[in-house]
Amino acid sequence: MQWEAVIGLEVHVQLSTQSKIFSGSANKFGAEPNTQASLIDLGMPGVLPVLNEDAVQKAIKFGLGINADIAPRSVFARKNYFYPDLPKGYQISQFELPVVGKGFIDITLDDGSTKRIGVTRAHLEEDAGKSLHEDFHGMSGIDLNRAGTPLLEIVSEPDMRSAEEAVAYLKAIHSIIRYLDISDGNMAEGSMRCDCNVSVRLKGEEKFGTRREVKNVNSFRFVEKAIKTEIQWQIDELESGRKIQQCTVLYDPAKNETRAMRSKEEANDYRYFPDPDLLPLEVSEDMINRVRAHLPELPAQKIERFMGELELSDYDARVLVADRAVADYFEQVVAESGAKPKMAANWVSVELLGALNKNDLSIEQSPVSATQLAGLIKRIVDNTISGKIAKQVFEELWASGGTADSIIDSKGLKQETDTGAIETIVDQVIASSPDQVAQYLAADEGKRKKLVGYFVGQIMKLSKGKANPQMVNDILARKLV
Amino acid sequence: MHDKTLKQLADALAARQISSVELTGLYLDRIKRFDPQLNSFITVTESQALAQAAAADAARAAGKAVALTGVPIAHKDIFCTQGVKTSCASKMLDNFIAPYNATVVEKMNAAGLVMLGKTNMDEFAMGSSNESSFYGPVKNPWNTAFVPGGSSGGSAAAVAARLAPAATGTDTGGSIRQPASLCGITGLKPTYGRVSRWGMIAFASSLDQGGPMAQTAEDAALLLNVMAGFDPKDSTSTHIDVPDYTATLNDSIEGLRIGLPKEFFGEGLDADVEQCVRDAIREYEKLGAKVVEISLPNTHLSIPAYYVVAPAEASSNLSRFDGVRFGYRCNDPENLEALYKRSRGEGFGEEVKRRILIGTYALSAGYYDAYYLKAQKVRRLIKNDFDAAFANVDVIMGPTAPHAGFKLGEKAANPVALYLSDIYTIAVNMAGLPGLSLPAGQSNGLPVGLQIIGKHFAEARLLNVAHRFQQATDWHLQIPAAFA
């Protein structure tokens, strides 16, 4: 049987506001437990929430970034349930009227094809605190630093059909929130979290199957694995003639399995109702326009510009644009080096990103700055060094810092461009390789191209790689007759 | 001294006829002497009061006194008071020392008022007789076999017996006006949004409003001058300027159009109470007012709608009392669920539990539209009734309560009968309007209140209309004999 998966994602993004969504406490990760929890965050008797306008602006920014409608009037509602890390016994969220309405995100898959994923809505809400179950001798500790952190919950349409599409969508959201500078998107620290609604149906069937919700998956890799595992589990169940029961499940990365947490029957009745402590949120056309005016260039626009204005390939553009910091780095290298964008793109996406990946570093942690890399590329452009030597200089920059110029000087790596000096080496190589010369001269034009490589290699070896490759080629062509 | 109004005490302090320390000591003595009969205080803050009084005297000596510097006051135990037990008359908060001041308390402190203590009330302000308090019922100073009304029964009884010159109260469905009526004092529920709710422990957030409970309209005006105003900490407080409420007290009420809703004078209204109210209206006519009969046709829907909206909000507001961070926690819970169930089961009283259950039910999936949403629509109808009426009248008058009071225990077994006694006050909260009760007569030795309802933010007009009545009558000067 041909099965088809149907996937929708709920992505929670912590907004990087200075203070919390309804209190003045600092909104920072990693402080000592309960040091960033005010009376409001503790849910003390008599306290009241006051909405942080910056959180609203960031939500609007996101809405504009995904071509969504911004609601002129939205309403905060209380979602009621009991849990020790939920101080008030309810979470302030948005239910019937969210601030961001329907929008969409275009994703690109590995094979280069694109697909449009619908976004149903995005709403503002407050995060809960954390329960700590270790180090309390059979009791639980509660850390309310996270309570009240502004969250934007982004709900997709069930438009994805594979784990790969889901990850591509998640990465697209990650890229957008980083471009918009509304969240650091750090999944390891929980700044971006994902619930995956997964169901399976026979291909061609229009009706959705019963879905299960995989809760709180916290990395791109786990999202992919969890969805794949869940899809396979559901297919196995269906093929064994069993029915899928609607429930929430947890993904266990250690065992690579999804386990049911609670069924639909056990689910809470959240008793949503409008929060009487907060007025409806009114967003004026004026406010939307003000946010729009400060909207940065978004990934899709940047890719277009890189391919058009900078003449990069589709692939290069996507690699560079995926992370805003990488794109910014690249543009700085182009501006400072004066090199052709293609050349700068190669250096950033191959050499730099390769080294960063190998060392598990982010672009922000790169030991080679954009200015340092631009300084190096400048010397390729002006023929001071060859591309090959440049790689050596890059390694030195990576390991010890400094500037390309200082390394080229101290290691004597400047390219040999003196015709006489290169001719001497060429003559030397020709003289010591009579067999190869004979072979070369006997060969036809096609074979000669291959055989000339031997001579170039020998010359470069003798010149310690410093001979200007173009000059070597010219002189060889002149002498091998 | 204790038979003086807040205004007279302020004048005496200003004239240095008495110091704040002396005055405060006088009231503390009265509380010690008389409160065992009334149970109107949960906490008396003697040492803090004397310290505040000394500071007030020092401020006066330094020439820094303002209108009410050094005047004693009592706060309903629903207002958070830093470092002082704030119980809401519940076992749930019997151990709760508030870590901060309510905005109302903060403003009173800043104005130099001296806090005598925290007054008794119905548990979490849920009740109309002050019998649901964890600390026992409050007695009516006019007849201690009778209830003082509620939920601000402690504040009303304390002021009526002159154990405090004035007090704060809160009003969700009549909790300032009804006890003011039953105890023979003047109580004002301001427009929703006029007084900050920050630090006022929430019962039903869309209805709750703090206000003054005093001997006279003039005293209430002086207190509202201090209490009212926008608070950045309360998103539902309003940006409208606060006038000097004392400035217009003596304005003429010649030509004032008084609306009398026919629904307020129908079945269920005690004959004596009706007589007192009609006499009071006649007094107003003598003062130049004109009476217009009006209709508020949806009045009968106000109680059913209120008993959906208020419990729904309460069920959510009271979720934070879970035994985890503050307040009552049961002994040795076997697991988390037991911690919740037992802490809440043991910490809340019967009436509070009843309302949490009603509210939880009304908000449940499948019932929300039929109850909560429908009740909100009724609320709109009630508001429309008032808007239509105020197109033709300046104020609306009627009884505050259908009776002059009832005996302790009389309605304890019948909560619905108790709910129905709020018929004239609840609609005012549903519409967010200001309402005032002032003493306008007596029935069998118990005071009877006249209710005056105004347009949104027309507190100055209400106080003016009440003050003119009090200039012409002396019901507000009566003190129960046992406490005179």
Side-chain angles (χ1 to χ4, degrees):
Chain A
M1 278 182 278
Q2 267 291 90
W3 296 99
E4 177 181 63
V6 175
I7 302 156
L9 299 188
E10 289 166 24
V11 182
H12 288 87
V13 172
Q14 288 185 338
L15 300 176
S16 51
T17 51
Q18 287 295 308
S19 56
K20 293 186 176 178
I21 185 166
F22 297 120
S23 83
S25 311
N27 175 29
K28 268 204 192 112
F29 180 82
E32 283 294 301
N34 297 311
T35 54
Q36 291 180 359
S38 68
L39 296 171
I40 295 174
D41 307 318
L42 292 169
M44 278 287 163
V47 299
L48 297 167
V50 175
L51 179 60
N52 178 342
E53 274 191 35
D54 190 30
V56 177
Q57 299 229 358
K58 287 188 159 63
I60 295 172
K61 244 181 171 179
F62 180 79
L64 295 175
I66 62 158
N67 315 291
D69 310 324
I70 307 299
R73 181 176 177 278
S74 62
V75 169
F76 285 97
R78 293 184 183 179
K79 176 180 180 179
N80 295 283
Y81 66 95
F82 285 99
Y83 204 70
D85 61 23
L86 185 72
K88 298 186 295 297
Y90 58 84
Q91 178 194 29
I92 305 177
S93 181
Q94 295 192 301
F95 185 53
E96 280 180 335
L97 296 169
V99 61
V100 176
K102 272 190 187 304
F104 62 83
I105 294 174
D106 289 328
I107 59 168
T108 305
L109 302 166
D110 280 348
D111 65 4
S113 63
T114 62
K115 182 171 177 178
R116 177 159 292 184
I117 307 296
V119 172
T120 316
R121 59 182 283 170
H123 64 253
L124 282 166
E125 61 183 25
E126 57 179 342
D127 209 342
K130 274 184 191 160
S131 296
L132 310 167
H133 299 296
E134 284 154 32
D135 310 327
F136 292 96
H137 313 286
M139 305 211 288
S140 291
I142 309 290
D143 177 6
L144 294 175
N145 282 352
R146 199 181 69 177
T149 297
L151 287 180
L152 188 66
E153 180 175 336
I154 304 153
V155 183
S156 83
E157 293 287 314
D159 284 350
M160 290 153 275
R161 295 292 173 265
S162 68
E164 290 78 9
E165 287 184 12
V167 170
Y169 167 79
L170 198 58
K171 284 188 170 163
I173 288 191
H174 188 259
S175 178
I176 290 170
I177 60 174
R178 297 264 297 165
Y179 268 81
L180 294 172
D181 199 19
I182 60 174
S183 172
D184 65 17
N186 188 327
M187 291 188 84
E189 291 179 358
S191 305
M192 181 164 137
R193 313 193 286 267
C194 182
D195 300 337
C196 319
N197 285 295
V198 179
S199 67
V200 159
R201 65 183 173 189
L202 281 175
K203 225 174 177 137
E205 177 72 55
E206 278 197 16
K207 240 184 86 190
F208 292 134
T210 305
R211 68 187 157 86
R212 304 211 308 167
E213 184 182 11
V214 189
K215 276 273 179 206
N216 235 337
V217 197
N218 61 7
S219 78
F220 293 120
R221 202 160 62 88
F222 287 162
V223 166
E224 182 162 354
K225 288 177 82 177
I227 292 177
K228 281 190 166 152
T229 305
E230 178 61 20
I231 292 173
Q232 195 51 53
W233 184 87
Q234 290 191 19
I235 292 175
D236 290 347
E237 287 290 297
L238 292 167
E239 291 193 337
S240 315
R242 286 187 285 272
K243 281 189 173 158
I244 306 295
Q245 304 294 328
Q246 189 176 332
C247 67
T248 49
V249 301
L250 268 188
Y251 173 66
D252 179 349
K255 295 185 179 156
N256 193 34
E257 63 179 27
T258 49
R259 270 198 308 274
M261 276 165 74
R262 52 174 187 261
S263 71
K264 192 185 170 192
E265 286 71 36
E266 293 167 283
N268 282 310
D269 176 358
Y270 291 121
R271 308 191 310 280
Y272 280 101
F273 75 107
D275 191 333
D277 288 333
L278 290 161
L279 303 175
L281 169 59
E282 313 254 348
V283 177
S284 65
E285 200 56 40
D286 200 49
M287 183 171 180
I288 295 172
N289 288 336
R290 254 181 291 137
V291 174
R292 200 193 305 273
H294 293 99
L295 221 50
E297 185 184 39
L298 285 162
Q301 299 160 327
K302 204 180 275 280
I303 285 171
E304 219 165 276
R305 180 166 62 85
F306 280 11
M307 288 172 65
E309 211 174 287
L310 303 187
E311 297 178 323
L312 296 186
S313 70
D314 179 72
Y315 177 82
D316 281 347
R318 284 185 195 286
V319 167
L320 293 171
V321 167
D323 182 343
R324 180 180 179 174
V326 172
D328 289 348
Y329 186 106
F330 161 71
E331 295 212 69
Q332 195 184 339
V333 169
V334 173
E336 289 185 21
S337 69
K340 282 223 169 78
K342 173 69 191 160
M343 183 183 186
N346 283 344
W347 272 93
V348 172
S349 63
V350 181
E351 302 305 326
L352 180 77
L353 291 185
L356 289 171
N357 280 343
K358 208 170 83 186
N359 292 283
D360 206 14
L361 295 174
S362 71
I363 186 98
E364 288 86 353
Q365 298 165 307
S366 172
V368 178
S369 71
T371 300
Q372 284 173 301
L373 184 57
L376 170 58
I377 294 173
K378 235 191 259 176
R379 295 296 160 252
I380 308 172
V381 173
D382 70 7
N383 278 327
T384 306
I385 53 172
S386 68
K388 199 160 175 196
I389 292 291
K391 287 178 189 173
Q392 217 177 304
V393 177
F394 178 79
E395 276 167 31
E396 193 60 30
L397 275 177
W398 180 279
S400 323
T403 64
D405 286 345
S406 67
I407 292 166
I408 291 165
D409 269 3
S410 67
K411 303 234 162 179
L413 296 173
K414 193 168 180 316
Q415 188 160 251
E416 183 58 81
T417 51
D418 179 71
T419 314
I422 295 175
E423 270 185 0
T424 311
I425 300 172
V426 173
D427 290 342
Q428 212 179 320
V429 169
I430 289 176
S432 63
S433 318
D435 293 353
Q436 285 81 357
V437 173
Q439 218 180 332
Y440 175 87
L441 292 175
D444 59 28
E445 196 64 26
K447 277 204 169 160
R448 279 186 174 187
K449 274 193 177 155
K450 276 190 185 166
L451 291 167
V452 80
Y454 164 81
F455 300 101
V456 174
Q458 291 300 306
I459 294 160
M460 287 317 240
K461 204 164 155 189
L462 281 177
S463 75
K464 297 198 177 86
K466 289 189 290 184
N468 178 301
Q470 193 53 50
M471 291 176 74
V472 169
N473 283 337
D474 292 349
I475 295 168
L476 261 179
R478 199 150 35 82
K479 303 229 166 192
L480 278 173
V481 284
Chain B
M1 228 36 184
H2 69 267
D3 57 354
K4 298 214 181 316
T5 65
L6 191 79
K7 170 75 172 106
Q8 290 164 340
L9 293 176
D11 290 345
L13 285 164
R16 317 224 176 175
Q17 288 162 5
I18 190 168
S19 72
S20 176
V21 169
E22 288 164 338
L23 189 61
T24 301
L26 184 152
Y27 279 102
L28 289 169
D29 284 346
R30 283 185 66 79
I31 293 169
K32 254 181 235 161
R33 189 168 140 214
F34 291 112
D35 203 45
Q37 300 170 52
L38 298 177
N39 197 28
S40 66
F41 279 84
I42 290 173
T43 304
V44 179
T45 49
E46 179 167 355
S47 56
Q48 288 106 314
L50 291 170
Q52 263 186 320
D57 287 334
R60 188 170 302 283
K64 289 178 185 158
V66 288
L68 298 180
T69 298
V71 178
I73 190 166
H75 288 305
K76 186 177 182 180
D77 208 19
I78 200 168
F79 289 101
C80 283
T81 42
Q82 190 169 358
V84 174
K85 179 166 105 171
T86 300
S87 73
C88 245
S90 180
K91 179 179 176 185
M92 185 58 89
L93 290 179
D94 184 44
N95 65 0
F96 181 65
I97 309 295
Y100 73 109
N101 279 329
T103 295
V104 163
V105 172
E106 199 64 41
K107 286 184 165 206
M108 294 275 187
N109 287 348
L113 285 125
V114 173
M115 178 174 83
L116 296 169
K118 308 290 295 287
T119 57
N120 205 343
M121 55 185 280
D122 278 299
E123 185 181 3
F124 284 104
M126 297 176 187
S128 311
S129 65
N130 215 124
E131 290 170 290
S132 72
S133 168
F134 172 63
Y135 302 96
V138 176
K139 317 272 171 57
N140 190 320
W142 292 90
N143 182 338
T144 52
F146 281 71
V147 302
S151 67
S152 311
S155 290
V159 175
R162 306 300 193 256
L163 306 191
T168 52
T170 63
D171 190 319
T172 306
S175 283
I176 285 176
R177 289 158 292 157
Q178 186 256 17
S181 172
L182 269 55
C183 289
I185 64 165
T186 305
L188 170 67
K189 179 206 98 76
T191 309
Y192 183 79
R194 180 74 294 183
V195 172
S196 168
R197 294 187 297 115
W198 172 261
M200 204 175 96
I201 299 177
F203 160 16
S205 315
S206 73
L207 300 162
D208 294 345
Q209 186 62 202
M213 302 181 76
Q215 298 164 45
T216 65
E218 183 180 37
D219 289 359
L222 283 164
L223 289 169
L224 191 61
N225 275 350
V226 177
M227 294 171 83
F230 171 72
D231 182 359
K233 295 204 280 274
D234 175 2
S235 311
T236 62
S237 71
T238 38
H239 272 286
I240 294 171
D241 283 346
V242 179
D244 175 358
Y245 293 105
T246 61
T248 46
L249 285 173
N250 288 305
D251 283 5
S252 162
I253 58 167
E254 182 76 43
L256 180 80
R257 294 168 302 165
I258 299 174
L260 296 187
K262 60 175 191 232
E263 291 80 5
F264 282 27
F265 293 89
E267 198 190 334
L269 178 60
D270 178 270
D272 277 5
V273 172
E274 177 164 3
Q275 194 52 55
C276 291
V277 170
R278 297 234 182 251
D279 290 347
I281 305 288
R282 245 185 301 285
E283 188 64 44
Y284 272 111
E285 285 177 312
K286 275 192 232 160
L287 294 169
K290 292 188 173 60
V291 172
V292 185
E293 182 167 292
I294 58 164
S295 175
L296 300 170
N298 291 295
T299 301
H300 67 290
L301 295 178
S302 62
I303 288 181
Y306 174 88
Y307 277 97
V308 170
V309 173
E313 292 181 8
S315 71
S316 175
N317 281 335
L318 270 60
S319 293
R320 70 189 62 200
F321 305 108
D322 58 4
V324 174
R325 295 167 320 287
F326 45 73
Y328 179 77
R329 178 188 284 198
C330 67
N331 284 322
D332 299 322
E334 47 275 34
N335 54 37
L336 180 62
E337 188 160 324
L339 168 72
Y340 286 147
K341 286 185 172 168
R342 286 182 42 216
S343 297
R344 289 169 64 80
E346 295 163 20
F348 289 135
E350 286 309 307
E351 185 57 29
V352 172
K353 281 190 258 191
R354 179 167 20 245
R355 298 204 195 188
I356 289 174
L357 286 173
I358 293 170
T360 302
Y361 181 80
L363 290 175
S364 298
Y367 297 101
Y368 179 82
D369 290 2
Y371 293 113
Y372 188 78
L373 220 53
K374 173 84 45 96
Q376 290 292 10
K377 286 178 188 162
V378 168
R379 197 167 171 179
R380 168 63 57 178
L381 294 179
I382 291 169
K383 197 173 172 294
N384 292 347
D385 279 1
F386 279 108
D387 287 347
F390 278 124
N392 301 312
V393 301
D394 302 309
V395 293
I396 293 171
M397 289 191 188
T400 305
H403 46 66
F406 50 90
K407 285 190 170 156
L408 282 154
E410 192 180 318
K411 298 190 181 185
N414 188 349
V416 174
L418 196 57
Y419 297 171
L420 290 174
S421 69
D422 293 333
I423 179 74
Y424 305 130
T425 47
I426 276 178
V428 177
N429 298 77
M430 297 293 267
L433 298 169
L436 178 150
S437 179
L438 77 169
Q442 285 192 358
S443 164
N444 295 323
L446 292 173
V448 170
L450 170 75
Q451 181 175 215
I452 313 175
I453 302 163
K455 297 176 188 176
H456 282 108
F457 298 100
E459 285 81 4
R461 189 63 166 153
L462 285 190
L463 290 163
N464 158 231
V465 170
H467 180 70
R468 293 305 300 236
F469 182 83
Q470 290 178 338
Q471 294 302 99
T473 58
D474 65 356
W475 295 112
H476 59 291
L477 300 176
Q478 311 280 328
I479 302 176
F483 304 92

